[in-house]
Amino acid sequence: MFWSKIWFFLIAVGAAVALTIALVLPRPAERTLVNEESQRLVVACGVIDILLADDARNRVELAGSFARTPEIVSALEAASGVEKLDAQRMKQVRDVGDAVMKTIQGARKPDFAMLIDRRGRVVARVRLEENDFGDIVAGRPLVDDALAGYLRDDLWAQNGTMYFVSAAPVIKRDPPVSYVGAIVLGHQVTNALAAKLVSSLNVDVGFYLGKDDVAGSKTLALDHAVMQSAVGKLSGGDLGHDCQANQPIQLSAGSDDYTAVVARLPGEAAAKQAFYSVFIKRPQALGFAGTLKVVKQSDLSFKSFPWFLVGGAFLLSLGIGIALMFIEADRPLRRLTADAVRLAKGDTERISEDAHGGKFGSIARSVNIHIDKLGRDAKTAKKDLDQLLGPAPEGSLGTIDLLATPLPPARPGGPAPAAPPPPSDFKFGSADSGPVRTPPPRAPTPPPIRIQTPAAAPPRAPTPPPIQMNQPPPLSLDDDILGRSETDADAGPPVDPYFKSVFDQFVSTKQSCGEPTAGLTYPKFAEKLVKNREDLMAKTGCKDVKFTVYVKDGKAALKASPVKDEA
């Protein structure tokens, strides 16, 4: 699993790097966009300042042409010669001024005109407060300069709006040359004027008097407090540097956000905090989420996006990952599964640990450890069974697998009937050993048990029978059973056909194994079988005992098996 983990780690690192790039890349683009917007606003603000200056020059020229009209010169010369202005003269002069205004062609027609005599009195007003006359306007900088012979412009705030005004002196050219008055032309700051100023700049502009909106290329309710705060930070008498001096500010109108710069307006309106603002709507594609919102279908086309490259990289990564998983996980798991199936079928005793690596080898080792534990538990169970039935002593002439040790005091089905244990060995007397010991009386011999093995079997090396876990441990027949002469056979019990067949098989097996049989007599052999049968029946409560001859460790041996039920 090592390479699979490494591969997935590399894929995760690559995905993390790609995600990081996707999240970080919009930030530089955003900064670049903000800088471009700021520069764009500063340039637009400077262009608007230039346009306003150019418009002022045109308005001043228009005012000069208006003042040179002979009808205007004659009307103001006559008005300047009277002590008191009356309504009749006012109407006469107003009609003259209105007639001259009608002759002006183009889109920059004045919105109002004021005709002032050389004393600074308003002789007549045209198209604005037409019934007002006789008031003194001398003392206003624009009017004083015009009466002094200067052409100039200004910005007036009147009735909640602003006017770009221009003034020119009215001069009598005939000798003697004299100043007979001045005229003032006013152009209202309107939405149309604002739209015309920014028509080629792709920005918007608004004109304000303090907290009041005057006009704008777009009707928006922007935050005046933010703009006034920015205007308050501007200082210096040169208003032409306001566009470059202030930093862009962020404004909001409804759900839209804007970036703006502000600049002060000159003239008398400056005393009422007149200023204008150039602003542009902030793009929504700011940051990663904003970029996703403005993605278009064309951006995901095959011409714009490298789908083949991305798809090929994905398939290659997926193929490598699947191949590594198959090599390091699927194939070893199949091998381990196949070995487990063979173990379950008994075709093998253990799972090969060398054939499996990594965690699969650990699984194989764990299974083998459990198998070894089961083997140890089986040996322990067999040892406990041997302790229950008793050990099997060995004899010189072979082994008779009979019970030779007492059973535990408790057994299944209740305690066994109390009976004295049989003697562990029996010896026959001889001429040198003294008198022969008479065996104790025995219980009546039970009816003969049917023999499973024929009595007369040809001599051959018998095959050891399978070991049965419920059979008692072996008991050795003492070598002294051969110490008695054959003449003592008549002193033993009568010949039992079953015991005689077992005796014959035992002798035949010993001969086939190359063991000596001299001195082996039937009476003592039968007496031993009877004793062990009675003892086994008393201890186990069985109905009968079956004796089997077999070969153990190259020697003839005899095994006693309890029979629970009669056949």
Side-chain angles (χ1 to χ4, degrees):
M1 301 293 288
F2 175 77
W3 291 111
S4 299
K5 294 179 180 179
I6 292 297
W7 179 250
F8 289 132
F9 172 77
L10 294 177
I11 292 297
V13 170
V17 171
L19 182 60
T20 302
I21 294 175
L23 294 175
V24 170
L25 277 182
R27 298 299 179 182
E30 178 182 350
R31 289 194 297 269
T32 302
L33 182 61
V34 170
N35 292 335
E36 290 180 354
E37 288 180 349
S38 301
Q39 187 64 27
R40 178 181 171 187
L41 288 174
V42 170
V43 172
C45 181
V47 171
I48 290 175
D49 190 57
I50 293 173
L51 292 176
L52 290 177
D54 186 65
D55 182 68
R57 184 166 47 255
N58 294 333
R59 288 185 282 106
V60 168
E61 291 179 358
L62 178 62
S65 299
F66 193 96
R68 288 191 297 271
T69 304
E71 294 83 358
I72 297 296
V73 173
S74 299
L76 290 181
E77 182 182 10
S80 298
V82 300
E83 293 293 331
K84 185 177 180 181
L85 299 175
D86 54 16
Q88 182 177 1
R89 185 175 294 277
M90 180 271 295
K91 291 180 180 178
Q92 180 183 358
V93 175
R94 184 180 63 187
D95 292 339
V96 172
D98 185 61
V100 175
M101 289 184 65
K102 289 180 179 179
T103 62
I104 299 174
Q105 302 296 324
R108 293 298 292 158
K109 289 183 179 181
D111 292 297
F112 75 89
M114 293 176 60
L115 284 77
I116 306 170
D117 64 5
R118 63 187 177 189
R119 299 180 183 182
R121 297 177 298 179
V122 177
V123 179
R125 287 184 170 89
V126 181
R127 299 183 183 180
L128 179 67
E129 300 176 352
E130 291 184 342
N131 295 324
D132 293 340
F133 67 97
D135 54 308
I136 303 297
V137 293
R140 303 184 74 165
L142 178 70
V143 175
D144 290 346
D145 289 345
L147 292 177
Y150 295 100
L151 292 169
R152 56 161 300 184
D153 72 304
D154 202 347
L155 183 64
W156 288 356
Q158 187 172 349
N159 298 330
T161 185
M162 288 189 298
Y163 293 91
F164 291 115
V165 292
S166 55
V170 178
I171 304 174
K172 179 183 177 183
R173 303 291 178 178
D174 297 335
V177 177
S178 62
Y179 292 98
V180 297
I183 58 100
V184 176
L185 300 180
H187 295 78
Q188 184 179 359
V189 178
T190 61
N191 294 338
L193 173 62
K196 182 179 179 181
L197 289 174
V198 297
S199 59
S200 60
L201 300 178
N202 197 23
V203 295
D204 291 293
V205 65
F207 294 90
Y208 309 93
L209 275 174
K211 297 181 180 180
D212 299 327
D213 293 340
V214 175
S217 60
K218 183 180 291 185
T219 304
L220 294 173
L222 297 176
D223 191 351
H224 294 79
V226 177
M227 292 187 291
Q228 284 183 295
S229 176
V231 171
K233 296 178 181 179
L234 299 176
S235 60
D238 190 359
L239 304 183
H241 291 83
D242 284 357
C243 294
Q244 292 79 15
N246 69 97
Q247 296 295 325
I249 58 177
Q250 304 300 322
L251 302 175
S252 61
S255 59
D256 297 329
D257 296 326
Y258 295 86
T259 304
V261 293
V262 295
R264 294 171 293 177
L265 289 172
E268 292 185 13
K272 296 183 178 181
Q273 295 184 347
F275 66 93
Y276 68 93
S277 172
V278 182
F279 55 90
I280 187 173
K281 186 176 180 180
R282 271 192 301 174
Q284 296 180 355
L286 296 178
F288 181 74
T291 303
L292 291 180
K293 290 180 181 179
V294 297
V295 172
K296 299 181 180 180
Q297 185 176 1
S298 59
D299 297 331
L300 300 176
S301 63
F302 284 94
K303 294 181 179 179
S304 302
F305 192 82
W307 284 109
F308 292 107
L309 179 60
V310 174
F314 171 76
L315 293 178
L316 179 62
S317 302
L318 181 62
I320 294 176
I322 292 176
L324 291 176
M325 290 181 63
F326 175 77
I327 294 173
E328 296 187 338
D330 293 347
R331 189 168 62 182
L333 181 60
R334 291 180 182 178
R335 290 201 303 264
L336 182 61
T337 303
D339 288 349
V341 171
R342 286 195 296 270
L343 180 65
K345 290 182 178 180
D347 296 340
T348 181
E349 296 182 355
R350 296 170 63 86
I351 297 179
S352 176
E353 300 178 7
D354 297 335
H356 305 282
K359 294 184 178 180
F360 299 102
S362 300
I363 295 174
R365 284 189 292 274
S366 299
V367 172
N368 291 336
I369 290 173
H370 188 66
I371 291 174
D372 294 339
K373 182 177 181 298
L374 292 178
R376 290 193 300 270
D377 292 343
K379 291 180 180 180
T380 303
K382 183 177 182 301
K383 181 178 180 182
D384 294 340
L385 185 60
D386 291 341
Q387 293 176 355
L388 177 66
L389 299 178
E394 297 293 337
S396 60
L397 296 181
T399 302
I400 300 178
D401 292 341
L402 303 176
L403 288 172
T405 58
L407 293 173
R411 65 181 182 85
S424 60
D425 55 7
F426 301 89
K427 294 184 180 180
F428 293 90
S430 61
D432 299 331
S433 61
V436 178
R437 184 173 56 184
T438 303
R442 61 184 178 86
T445 304
I449 302 175
R450 287 185 294 274
I451 305 172
Q452 295 183 357
T453 305
R460 63 185 180 88
T463 302
I467 299 175
Q468 303 179 8
M469 297 300 294
N470 59 349
Q471 294 176 354
L475 178 66
S476 298
L477 197 64
D478 198 282
D479 292 342
D480 292 339
I481 194 172
L482 304 177
R484 189 176 178 183
S485 63
E486 295 182 2
T487 58
D488 297 331
D490 295 336
V495 177
D496 186 299
Y498 175 65
F499 289 163
K500 186 64 171 67
S501 65
V502 175
F503 174 75
D504 293 340
Q505 291 183 36
F506 186 71
V507 172
S508 176
T509 302
K510 287 181 70 65
Q511 292 175 351
S512 64
C513 292
E515 297 184 71
T517 58
L520 179 60
T521 62
Y522 169 77
K524 194 63 178 179
F525 185 84
E527 182 179 354
K528 180 67 174 179
L529 295 186
V530 171
K531 289 292 185 181
N532 283 275
R533 180 178 64 181
E534 293 174 354
D535 182 62
L536 186 59
M537 292 175 65
K539 291 182 177 180
T540 62
C542 61
K543 300 298 184 180
D544 203 350
V545 177
K546 180 181 68 176
F547 298 96
T548 305
V549 179
Y550 70 101
V551 178
K552 180 178 179 181
D553 298 331
K555 296 180 180 181
L558 192 63
K559 181 186 297 181
S561 304
V563 179
K564 296 296 183 179
D565 296 324
E566 293 184 359

